[in-house]
Amino acid sequence: MWISKIELKNFKSYRLANLEFPEPKNGKNIVLIGGMNGYGKTTILEAIYLCLYGKDAMTHLARAGLKIDEKGYPTFLEHALNGEAKRDGDADMMSARMIIKRNKTSAFDIRRRWYFKSAKGTWHDEETVVTEITKNISGTPKIDGKNGFFLSELLDEQFVPAHIAPFFFFDGEEVKKLADQTRIEQVKQGLEGLLGVVLLRNLVERLRNFETNKRQTISSSDEENIDRLLELMTADEARLKELTASTQESRDRLSDLKAEHQSLIERIISAGGGGADIATVRDFVEEQQAHRSELRDISKALERILSDKLPFHLMPVELLDEFKAQLHREIEIENWQAECNALEPKRDSFKKAFLNIEAPVIDPVLTTSQLEAVQARIEKAWASLFHPSPVADSGPIIHTFFHQGLRERALNFLSTLSVGQAEVQDLLSKQRQVTERIEELSKKISRVEGIDKDGTLTELKRNLAAVEKERDELDASQRNTDRILVGLEVGLSNTKARYQQEKKRLDDTSPTRQLLDKSERVRQAIDELIPSLFPLKVKRLATSMTRVYKQLAHKTQVSKIIISDDGSTKILSRNGQEITFDRSAGENQIFATALIAGLAEVSGVSAPLVVDTPLGRLDSLHRDNIFNFWTGTPNRQVILLSQDKEVDAATYQQIKDKVSCAYLLEHTDVGDGIGRTIAKPEKYFGDAI
């Protein structure tokens, strides 16, 4: 594959230029285009980008080391319009054309025209026409962006995609400067281009703009309601988390208090109670603690009756019965709807099978009206299975916040509400008996203990009383917190159900919001994907760079280059130690050239190289190495845009057996500060050809 022609009209200093290049063969793959600085070498590189990629080229010109107009694409084009054409009133059109040959018999011709308002030279339109050429016969021209044809797709499949173009068409001097600034950034940019990260980021930006525009067209009232529910749900979840943590702390403290309580009891018993019977005191104390535990259980049972069941007994019986009946109706409706949804898709299958079955034969054959009547009966028979609802006068579903299964749980709870008078009286009687027994045991313990001579027993009993008081208060507080937790969990469950229901209703009624949701998920997936892409190509790139670097550098101690996933590079010696060079201009250009060559190789694209300022300030040995590298693949076309200090007449004589053709750019002043460039074929510095 090679570039066989570049044609420019009214493009910067070129009024008209035709540069034709032969097929690289017989070891001649170098094209030399010589010109002094400011004579139009870089213009050719810019024209290649603009012709192939149009507006998209603006993103990649900077990555290729070229300066771009910060004011954007229109300003760039207006500045590129030929000054001589403006002066002569012939400034209505500027064009760039390239013919790229796949092989000897197949090619495609790309011509991009930019149209201007001739009076002011203001750009207002452009058109790109692509023509396929087979055996020198031109096919039907295709216009980019019309009738399903896109030039970018053709370039992606058959030439150089825009995001990797800087690996093939670049300014060697400027790319070297990038390597001089930070090698990590240069490697990361190269990997991003190779992996298509540029395209992914462009997609993210387009999705973000799409979401912004779409959100302006939809109502925000429903979203405000959902946001309110989400805010309430978030607050309840935070409160629930806080209470759960507090409950755990209380339980831990209760556990500590129980251990301390047991320790104090043991110490009281060990104190002997002033010579009393130790075994008797221990028995009394243990029995007393057992009764106190029983008393707490009785209190909890009474609290459950008061908080869980009694409120429902204060409600009118008719209201409870109506609530239960409504729940039963909603359960039946829910089951009926589920059955309808499950069987509805089978209707068409049944109808099709019924009408298409061949046996038994209907004789005589049904007429059209009879067949329509049969079909109508099938429809009515099927509808009768579901309509009307089996629940007579069911009315609407009132408790929409109940999710599946919650109605059954509510009915089961209501069935456990019965509270008999005898149950409450038994609990109260038992509470009174246990309390009296605790008091009786306290008196017995006091009588058995005797006299506390040194006050130790008194202090222990005082500490025990304090622990029991804190324990009872904490236990009561914990029971209250548990009730709050239960209520909060129920409320949070209801809020979540309402939130999901409202969000689903909003999504079902708004395809735009569904698109926004999908767009957000795609953007999130891309953000998560990009960091994981780099390891896919790092190893292959390091291997390719090592091979190219060894070809280009004259320092033989380099063993290999390794690249980390973050883009940082290390150059290792034969013994595995990192080599630190002085990063001279030559070293940086060798590194940048090795990087670009490695990226081009890993990309798998076999395309020409176009290099502006190819040799810069390289010494003679580095120059020879680079020329050997460029000519090492004799079927790859290499177009060098050189000034007289890089590939001069003497250097040309050394490499002329590798040169397929050459041009010399000559520049003349045509007045009014306007210059004109002409490309002279078969000519080079010093008239060496």
Side-chain angles (χ1 to χ4, degrees):
M1 181 180 294
W2 72 97
I3 299 171
S4 68
K5 184 172 185 176
I6 297 176
E7 177 184 297
L8 305 178
K9 181 178 180 181
N10 293 337
F11 198 100
K12 288 200 169 182
S13 61
Y14 293 93
R15 194 75 162 95
L16 181 64
N18 285 285
L19 295 91
E20 298 187 7
F21 314 120
E23 176 186 0
K25 61 181 180 179
N26 300 325
K28 295 178 177 288
N29 68 316
I30 301 293
V31 172
L32 282 179
I33 300 177
M36 304 296 287
N37 289 335
Y39 277 22
K41 299 189 306 300
T42 302
T43 297
I44 293 175
L45 185 57
E46 291 173 340
I48 290 174
Y49 270 97
L50 269 293
C51 178
L52 295 176
Y53 309 114
K55 186 177 181 180
D56 291 340
M58 301 301 291
T59 303
H60 307 292
L61 282 171
R63 293 177 56 234
L66 301 178
K67 296 179 181 179
I68 61 173
D69 197 311
E70 295 181 355
K71 295 182 180 180
Y73 186 59
T75 304
F76 184 93
L77 294 177
E78 289 163 10
H79 288 169
L81 183 60
N82 181 265
E84 192 176 354
K86 291 180 182 179
R87 185 188 64 185
D88 297 344
D90 186 24
D92 59 337
M93 191 271 290
M94 175 177 73
S95 69
R97 179 190 179 198
M98 291 178 63
I99 297 179
I100 300 167
K101 288 200 172 184
R102 302 186 187 94
N103 49 52
K104 293 182 179 181
T105 61
S106 175
F108 49 93
D109 183 339
I110 303 171
R111 186 192 298 270
R112 191 181 296 265
R113 294 185 177 94
W114 296 273
Y115 298 99
F116 299 83
K117 298 176 181 177
S118 57
K120 297 182 179 180
T122 304
W123 172 72
H124 70 94
D125 197 8
E126 73 180 74
E127 181 184 62
T128 306
V129 179
V130 180
T131 305
E132 296 274 351
I133 303 172
T134 304
K135 295 182 178 180
N136 295 323
I137 299 176
S138 298
T140 303
K142 299 177 182 179
I143 300 176
D144 185 27
K146 294 186 177 180
N147 299 321
F149 173 76
F150 296 95
L151 173 59
S152 60
E153 294 180 358
L154 175 67
L155 296 174
D156 287 351
E157 295 173 1
Q158 302 188 35
F159 193 55
V160 180
H163 59 277
I164 63 172
F167 307 160
F168 297 89
F169 320 131
F170 56 90
D171 185 321
E173 180 71 16
E174 294 300 323
V175 168
K176 180 267 299 179
K177 290 179 182 178
L178 291 177
D180 184 41
Q181 294 169 7
T182 165
R183 288 178 173 175
I184 292 179
E185 190 61 31
Q186 177 76 339
V187 173
K188 286 180 68 176
Q189 287 183 5
L191 284 168
E192 287 186 357
L194 183 63
L195 294 164
V197 172
V198 175
L199 300 180
L200 291 175
R201 289 198 171 125
N202 288 341
L203 175 59
V204 167
E205 187 61 28
R206 291 174 63 184
L207 288 173
R208 188 177 285 112
N209 293 336
F210 164 79
E211 292 165 18
T212 300
N213 294 333
K214 284 297 182 183
R215 283 196 176 95
Q216 295 174 354
T217 65
I218 59 178
S219 172
S220 62
S221 58
D222 292 334
E223 288 185 344
E224 290 174 357
N225 184 40
I226 290 177
D227 290 342
R228 181 183 60 79
L229 288 173
L230 180 60
E231 183 179 350
L232 178 62
M233 187 168 63
T234 303
D236 285 349
E237 287 175 342
R239 176 63 175 157
L240 184 63
K241 183 178 180 181
E242 179 184 347
L243 284 177
T244 301
S246 175
T247 298
Q248 186 58 46
E249 292 178 2
S250 297
R251 286 174 180 155
D252 293 342
R253 179 57 182 160
L254 274 174
S255 178
D256 294 341
L257 287 173
K258 288 177 181 178
E260 186 177 355
H261 183 270
Q262 185 63 32
S263 175
L264 286 169
I265 290 176
E266 294 293 336
R267 291 174 63 190
I268 289 172
I269 294 173
S270 299
D277 187 334
I278 295 175
T280 303
V281 172
R282 180 184 292 111
D283 293 340
F284 288 162
V285 171
E286 289 177 353
E287 183 183 353
Q288 188 182 53
Q289 295 312 309
H291 284 306
R292 283 178 175 168
S293 178
E294 183 181 5
L295 184 60
R296 286 194 296 272
D297 291 339
I298 294 172
S299 298
K300 290 180 181 179
L302 287 171
E303 286 179 1
R304 281 196 296 271
I305 291 175
L306 290 173
S307 61
D308 295 348
K309 298 181 179 181
L310 187 59
F312 287 92
H313 283 270
L314 300 177
M315 296 173 61
V317 176
E318 296 81 4
L319 182 59
L320 274 178
D321 291 341
E322 183 179 344
F323 177 56
K324 293 177 184 178
Q326 179 64 27
L327 288 180
H328 280 295
R329 286 196 296 269
E330 291 182 2
I331 290 173
E332 292 186 34
I333 293 173
E334 187 179 59
N335 293 337
W336 172 72
Q337 288 177 339
E339 183 181 2
C340 290
N341 294 336
L343 293 178
E344 184 66 20
K346 297 181 180 180
R347 181 186 62 181
D348 291 337
S349 298
F350 168 76
K351 181 179 176 182
K352 184 177 180 181
F354 179 85
L355 294 175
N356 292 340
I357 195 168
E358 297 180 354
V361 177
I362 298 177
D363 189 17
V365 177
L366 297 177
T367 64
T368 302
S369 60
Q370 289 173 331
L371 185 60
E372 291 175 351
V374 170
Q375 291 178 344
R377 285 203 175 193
I378 291 174
E379 293 286 346
K380 288 183 178 180
W382 190 271
S384 68
L385 297 177
F386 309 111
H387 303 286
S389 167
V391 183
D393 301 324
S394 59
I397 293 180
I398 299 174
H399 307 99
T400 56
F401 53 88
F402 278 166
H403 58 73
Q404 187 175 8
L406 198 57
R407 294 182 179 87
E408 286 84 352
R409 288 176 57 188
L411 285 173
N412 291 336
F413 171 74
L414 293 175
S415 66
T416 64
L417 289 178
S418 60
V419 179
Q421 181 178 0
E423 180 183 358
V424 177
Q425 288 179 344
D426 288 345
L427 287 172
L428 291 174
S429 175
K430 197 170 184 179
Q431 183 185 47
R432 184 172 59 256
Q433 293 173 5
V434 172
T435 302
E436 290 174 354
R437 180 57 181 164
I438 291 173
E439 293 175 354
E440 181 182 349
L441 288 169
S442 295
K443 292 176 182 179
K444 287 183 179 182
I445 292 171
S446 297
R447 287 197 299 270
V448 172
E449 285 173 345
I451 302 172
D452 180 16
K453 295 180 179 180
D454 60 358
T456 300
L457 198 58
T458 301
E459 180 64 23
L460 289 173
K461 290 175 66 178
R462 185 163 44 248
N463 292 341
L464 180 63
V467 169
E468 288 178 342
K469 180 181 179 183
E470 183 181 356
R471 181 198 62 192
D472 293 342
E473 290 177 351
L474 192 57
D475 190 60
S477 174
Q478 186 59 46
R479 290 198 302 273
N480 184 55
T481 301
D482 287 341
R483 287 194 295 272
I484 295 175
L485 277 172
V486 171
L488 192 58
E489 288 173 349
V490 172
L492 181 59
S493 177
N494 291 339
T495 303
K496 283 183 176 179
R498 289 171 57 198
Y499 173 80
Q500 294 295 337
Q501 184 183 45
E502 289 294 319
K503 193 172 186 301
K504 184 177 183 303
R505 184 179 66 82
L506 191 63
D507 290 342
D508 290 343
T509 57
S510 176
T512 300
R513 289 186 174 91
Q514 292 179 14
L515 287 175
L516 289 173
D517 184 56
K518 291 178 181 178
S519 177
E520 290 173 355
R521 292 201 303 271
V522 170
R523 284 197 296 107
Q524 182 180 0
I526 292 175
D527 290 338
E528 295 173 355
L529 172 66
I530 287 176
S532 65
L533 289 176
F534 288 91
L536 299 178
K537 295 291 186 181
V538 162
K539 187 174 181 180
R540 287 186 59 196
L541 176 60
T543 301
S544 296
M545 279 189 67
T546 299
R547 182 178 52 76
V548 176
Y549 193 92
K550 286 181 177 181
Q551 288 181 250
L552 300 179
H554 56 72
K555 295 181 178 179
T556 59
Q557 69 267 40
V558 173
S559 173
K560 66 178 178 178
I561 296 174
I562 60 173
I563 305 174
S564 301
D565 291 346
D566 64 355
S568 60
T569 60
K570 292 181 181 179
I571 302 176
L572 303 183
S573 65
R574 297 174 188 269
N575 60 6
Q577 298 298 315
E578 182 177 1
I579 301 174
T580 303
F581 293 133
D582 58 2
R583 290 197 178 185
S584 63
E587 293 291 352
N588 278 319
Q589 186 159 351
I590 293 299
F591 180 88
T593 302
L595 171 62
I596 290 176
L599 291 166
E601 179 177 308
V602 174
S603 73
V605 175
S606 178
L609 295 178
V610 180
V611 189
D612 186 14
T613 320
L615 301 177
R617 289 173 288 171
L618 294 179
D619 56 45
S620 58
L621 183 55
H622 278 129
R623 291 188 179 201
D624 291 343
N625 290 344
I626 281 187
F627 270 118
N628 291 336
F629 169 71
W630 282 331
T631 58
T633 308
N635 60 344
R636 183 193 292 273
Q637 183 185 54
V638 181
I639 300 175
L640 302 180
L641 306 168
S642 173
Q643 43 98 339
D644 63 334
K645 298 298 183 182
E646 294 180 279
V647 183
D648 55 16
T651 305
Y652 172 77
Q653 291 300 321
Q654 297 174 11
I655 65 168
K656 65 180 181 179
D657 59 330
K658 305 292 184 182
V659 176
S660 63
C661 72
Y663 285 86
L664 182 64
L665 304 180
E666 295 183 350
H667 193 79
T668 57
D669 186 354
V670 294
D672 300 321
I674 300 172
R676 179 193 299 166
T677 297
I678 298 175
K680 294 285 187 177
E682 301 302 321
K683 190 175 182 181
Y684 199 67
F685 293 113
D687 295 325
I689 297 180

